[in-house]
Amino acid sequence: MKNNYDCRAAIILGMHDAIVSLTGLIAGLFFAFTDSNIIIITCIISSVTASLSMGAANYLATKSVHHDKAMMSAVCTFTAYMATCFLLILPFFMFTDRYLIFSSIILMSIFIIFAFNLFFYIGQGFYKL
């Protein structure tokens, strides 16, 4: 076990899971309901419950390999999940046009994936064969 725990993997786990689950939920609700308030409330509830679940699952997974930083890993996953969900729900508060909101969410998802992966893996030899 390392003394200085690097929670990059936990952050990426939470971030990517949030993008997949919440973007899918938003897309489904977007085409089912016209009231943005229903979508916002549903997404907030889903974000909180899913982030707690992901944090707990990451805690157990990390603890099962006898890692002494299981709690830190869980907190990193939970925080990354909630921050990503916040960014994906934010366009509902910024815009009124439904299609601009949906487009913004899709673009935000793509931006988050590229920006965070680039930030975390820059200088890591990611592209080396």
Side-chain angles (χ1 to χ4, degrees), residues 17-72:
D17 193 71
I19 288 172
V20 169
S21 61
L22 195 64
T23 303
L25 177 64
I26 289 171
L29 293 174
F30 178 82
F31 293 110
F33 299 104
T34 57
D35 186 7
S36 292
N37 291 327
I38 292 173
I39 299 171
I40 292 168
I41 291 169
T42 304
C43 288
I44 290 171
I45 292 168
S46 175
S47 298
V48 171
T49 56
S51 62
L52 288 170
S53 174
M54 282 300 295
N58 196 7
Y59 174 82
L60 291 174
T62 308
K63 192 73 169 174
S64 71
V65 292
H66 307 295
H67 200 288
D68 58 341
K69 299 291 184 178
M71 184 58 75
M72 176 65 78

Side-chain angles (χ1 to χ4, degrees), residues 107-121:
L107 291 173
M108 181 73 72
S109 298
I110 294 168
F111 173 76
I112 291 169
I113 290 169
F114 284 113
F116 279 85
N117 285 326
L118 179 67
F119 174 75
F120 281 131
Y121 291 107

